[in-house]
């Protein structure tokens, strides 16, 4: 059994050690069981690109990739990513600073105003593209609907996702 | 968030043993549970993570059954070719639920155990208004308050909430069965019998506001099986206030199968009109031997809705339910 904390049920020590990869680097962290991936990223790892918007899985600003699948990090306990491969927005660009094609497309299409939803949008878009849910603007809107933008940059976000998904023919 | 302990057993027996403690709860995707803990709806001292149990994420056609493990995520279920072919209504319901991110964590086992979205229930404690689910005996604010999203069947003055799960409605329509593990073994039961309306809970001698399912706190859903019925076409229609990423106002799962001799066998189940999926048996019987036209289906559904008991602000659900049921049946018939 993995991760048994303290004595059974209601014990005083609830620290769990979790081993996982984060943006390609191995991590080992001892944290309170109640620590979410979101809180660990922002408070322990200092990676504040991932945002806390609603903290209830509704806004998508906390979206990260776990084994390539997009999820709301506010709804995952750190203990639950033991053995997994995490990607945050900080891990998208190349080591030489070259932006990920999705990041570049967001700039090219003016796809953000305040920028708060943007890291979540970008991570979500990376997965949306790898899932193959970018066949049309309608499909992109449906499959990106878990990322809210109060600045209403949705048309530009949709255009950026389509461009990044279909770089030779952006109208496809 | 509340402090709790955590374990991830790799044996079902150990999971059940830990769940036998009244302050322990199981966590799967966590898309409901973590919010329950944040709001004070649940306050477990210990979480038992089900992710350590092997072989719970399988989807396979096994003879006459389509089998789906409880740990399958909604995206896995919704995009699986076998589900799309043999249980189209379920695939559609899964993909119309929540968001892509939530669907990558929410499991089919957990999804049917989600609780109502009633705004008097879903508040951070201490609940500012009466809610018999949160605070037994305090009353029901929705009964004469903001009840647009609430029940038109099966409610009592103690509670007027609806069950919001989309997959649950489709599973009911498809005659799915659920496998439940408890300390003495495991058993299969119809999904249709898992949830109770407030009236049914009261008739069972339970608290009408708090007895929501027949699953005990120390039991576990292992998976589902759906009869793979040849020639059955099914749909799921979900009506929401916006195009995506919202709970249903009203939904309907329908299936149509042509029997030998040319008659149609129809199934219609409504969602979000009661604290469990609401099967329109009278409408189904009324449509036997009938041509599936808008007129015939609407008339049959109208008669089946005769027993509806709308609240002060949800009368619109009567008309919406009729429309949604008709659309679901006709779409299924045309597949």
């Amino acid at each position: 059994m993995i991760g048994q904390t303290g004595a059974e049920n209601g014990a005083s020590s609830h620290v769990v050690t979790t081993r996982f990869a984060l943006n390609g680097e191995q991590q080992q962290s001892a944290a309170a069981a109640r620590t979410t991936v979101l809180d660990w990223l922002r408070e322990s790892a200092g990676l504040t690109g991932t945002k806390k918007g609603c903290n209830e899985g509704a806004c998508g600003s906390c979206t990260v990739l776990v084994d390539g699948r997009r999820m709301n990090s506010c709804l995952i306990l750190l203990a639950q990513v033991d053995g997994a491969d995490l990607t945050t927005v900080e891990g998208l660009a190349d080591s030489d600073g070259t932006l990920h094609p999705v990041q570049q497309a967001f700039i090219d299409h003016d796809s953000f105003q305040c920028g708060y939803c943007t890291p979540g949008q970008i991570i979500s878009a990376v997965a949306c593209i790898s899932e193959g849910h970018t066949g049309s603007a309608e499909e992109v809107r449906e499959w990106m609907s878990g990322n809210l933008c109060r600045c209403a940059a949705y048309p530009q976000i949709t255009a950026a996702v389509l461009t990044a998904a279909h770089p030779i023919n952006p109208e496809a | 968030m509340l402090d709790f302990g955590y374990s991830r057993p790799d044996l079902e027996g150990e999971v059940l043993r830990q769940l036998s403690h009244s302050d322990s709860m199981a966590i799967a995707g966590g898309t409901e549970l973590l919010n329950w803990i944040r709001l004070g709806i649940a306050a477990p001292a210990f979480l038992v993570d089900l992710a350590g149990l092997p072989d719970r994420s399988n989807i396979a056609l096994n003879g006459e059954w389509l089998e789906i493990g409880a740990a399958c995520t909604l995206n896995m279920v919704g995009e699986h070719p076998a589900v799309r072919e043999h249980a189209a209504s379920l695939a559609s319901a899964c993909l119309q639920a929540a968001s892509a991110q939530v669907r990558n964590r929410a499991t089919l086992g957990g999804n049917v155990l989600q609780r109502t979205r009633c705004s008097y229930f879903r508040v951070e404690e201490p609940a500012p208004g009466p809610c018999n689910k949160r605070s037994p005996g305090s009353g029901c604010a929705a009964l004469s308050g903001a009840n647009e999203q609430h029940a038109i069947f099966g409610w009592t003055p103690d509670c007027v909430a609806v069950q919001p799960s989309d997959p649950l409605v489709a599973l009911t329509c498809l005659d799915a069965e659920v496998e439940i593990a408890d300390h003495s073994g495991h058993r299969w039961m119809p999904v249709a019998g898992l949830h109770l309306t407030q009236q049914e809970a009261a008739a069972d001698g339970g608290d009408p506001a708090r007895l929501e399912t027949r699953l005990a706190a120390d039991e576990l859903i292992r998976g589902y099986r759906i009869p793979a019925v040849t020639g059955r076409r099914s749909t799921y229609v979900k009506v929401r206030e916006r195009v995506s990423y919202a709970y249903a106002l009203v939904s309907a799962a329908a299936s149509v199968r042509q029997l030998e001799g040319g008659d149609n066998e129809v199934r219609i189940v409504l969602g979000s009109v009661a604290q469990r999926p609401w099967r329109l048996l009278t409408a189904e019987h009324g449509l036997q031997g009938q041509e599936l036209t808008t007129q015939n289906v609407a008339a049959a559904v109208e008669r089946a809705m005769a027993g509806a008991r709308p609240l002060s602000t949800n009368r619109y659900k009567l008309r919406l339910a009729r429309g949604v049921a008709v659309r679901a049946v006709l779409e299924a018939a045309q597949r």
Side-chain angles (χ1 to χ4, degrees):
Chain A
M1 171 162 34
I2 297 160
Q4 173 75 68
T5 65
E8 288 194 12
N9 305 327
S12 54
S13 79
H14 299 303
V15 174
V16 183
T17 300
T18 311
R19 289 172 193 84
F20 56 101
L22 172 63
N23 296 329
E25 286 190 12
Q26 284 303 312
Q27 306 286 329
Q28 179 171 304
S29 180
R34 65 184 170 164
T35 310
T36 62
V37 169
L38 177 61
D39 283 337
W40 184 85
L41 286 171
R42 294 181 59 81
E43 312 287 333
S44 298
L47 296 176
T48 54
T50 308
K51 301 288 185 265
K52 178 178 281 187
C54 70
N55 205 30
E56 62 176 46
C59 75
S61 64
C62 70
T63 307
V64 299
L65 302 183
V66 179
D67 295 329
R69 281 187 217 93
R70 46 182 164 156
M71 302 179 181
N72 295 316
S73 58
C74 69
L75 292 182
I76 313 173
L77 298 175
L78 187 69
Q80 294 181 292
V81 298
D82 193 61
D85 217 314
L86 262 58
T87 307
T88 66
V89 68
E90 292 90 350
L92 289 185
D94 286 347
S95 48
D96 68 356
T98 310
L99 294 179
H100 188 284
V102 172
Q103 291 173 309
Q104 188 60 52
F106 268 61
I107 291 172
D108 295 342
H109 286 275
D110 192 27
S111 305
F112 48 93
Q113 292 186 45
C114 77
Y116 197 81
C117 76
T118 309
Q121 298 278 4
I122 288 172
I123 286 285
S124 193
V126 168
C128 187
I129 291 167
S130 68
E131 291 160 15
H133 290 125
T134 54
S136 64
E138 189 183 345
E139 190 181 19
V140 169
R141 284 193 294 270
E142 168 61 30
W143 282 88
M144 290 293 293
S145 63
N147 291 87
L148 304 183
C149 173
R150 294 293 273 138
C151 298
Y154 297 114
Q156 293 87 339
I157 293 167
T158 304
V161 176
L162 286 170
T163 295
H166 311 284
I168 289 160
N169 182 5
E171 307 319 311
Chain B
M1 178 147 58
L2 176 84
D3 201 16
F4 45 75
Y6 171 92
S7 74
R8 192 164 66 244
D10 48 20
L11 289 173
E12 183 180 81
E14 182 56 25
V15 167
L16 292 172
R17 198 188 62 74
Q18 293 189 20
L19 289 178
S20 68
H21 295 268
S22 61
D23 55 0
S24 293
M25 291 183 77
I27 184 168
T31 55
E32 263 283 73
L33 183 59
L34 293 191
N35 287 335
W36 291 350
I37 296 172
R38 289 184 177 119
L39 295 174
I41 290 169
F46 204 86
L47 293 192
V48 186
D49 192 343
L50 303 179
L53 296 178
D55 300 327
R56 298 286 159 119
S57 311
N58 297 323
I59 299 175
L61 193 61
N62 196 352
E64 59 184 289
W65 298 102
L66 173 65
E67 297 175 341
I68 304 176
C72 290
T73 67
L74 298 191
N75 269 343
M76 285 168 62
V77 177
E79 304 211 280
H80 198 283
V83 181
R84 294 180 117 136
E85 183 176 346
H86 299 284
S89 178
L90 177 63
S92 178
C94 284
L95 295 185
Q96 293 188 69
S99 68
Q101 290 93 317
V102 171
R103 291 195 299 271
N104 276 334
R105 278 209 76 71
T107 65
L108 200 60
N111 176 276
V112 303
L113 300 176
Q114 70 179 284
R115 301 185 71 188
T116 186
R117 307 307 304 182
C118 174
S119 56
Y120 300 103
F121 171 75
R122 290 263 166 188
V123 291
E124 213 172 300
E125 68 177 355
C131 174
N132 283 326
K133 287 190 193 293
R134 297 293 298 269
S135 184
S138 64
C140 173
L143 178 63
S144 50
N147 51 38
E148 293 88 352
Q149 313 286 346
H150 297 65
I152 56 174
F153 294 108
W155 57 268
T156 73
D158 301 282
C159 179
V160 298
V162 300
Q163 163 53 245
S165 165
D166 298 302
L168 181 64
V169 183
L171 287 168
T172 303
C173 182
L174 296 168
D175 291 322
E177 296 184 1
V178 56
E179 187 180 19
I180 294 169
D182 60 33
H183 59 276
S184 65
H186 36 99
R187 67 188 191 276
W188 287 96
M189 70 177 283
V191 168
L194 189 56
H195 290 69
L196 302 102
T197 64
Q198 293 86 349
Q199 283 183 325
E200 288 163 350
D204 253 26
D207 184 331
R210 289 168 57 99
L211 177 60
E212 296 175 359
T213 75
R214 298 200 187 280
L215 192 75
D218 59 353
E219 295 181 330
L220 202 58
I221 291 179
R222 286 174 142 208
Y224 303 88
R225 63 184 182 193
I226 300 165
V229 178
T230 315
R232 176 171 62 181
R233 295 110 67 202
S234 62
T235 56
Y236 185 71
V237 178
K238 180 176 183 178
V239 179
R240 326 177 229 199
E241 285 179 302
R242 56 191 188 196
V243 173
S244 188
Y245 198 20
Y247 288 91
L249 293 174
V250 178
S251 68
S255 74
V256 176
R257 184 166 77 99
Q258 202 161 53
L259 303 169
E260 280 182 36
D263 271 2
N264 285 305
E265 179 186 73
V266 179
R267 280 265 210 282
I268 314 170
V269 182
L270 295 177
S272 296
V273 295
Q275 205 171 240
R276 61 162 169 80
W278 196 260
R279 186 157 162 211
L280 299 180
L281 261 174
T282 335
E284 294 174 9
H285 291 151
L287 286 170
Q288 275 172 2
Q290 293 234 317
E291 201 190 333
L292 295 179
T293 62
T294 305
Q295 197 170 9
N296 288 345
V297 179
V301 171
E302 173 115 29
R303 282 190 295 274
M305 301 281 294
R309 298 151 57 224
L311 301 164
S312 51
T313 65
N314 73 0
R315 179 165 285 277
Y316 75 90
K317 284 199 178 190
L318 298 182
R319 185 169 168 186
L320 193 55
R322 274 198 299 275
V324 141
V326 169
R327 192 190 294 184
V329 172
L330 295 181
E331 278 183 17
Q334 278 149 31
R335 274 182 148 254

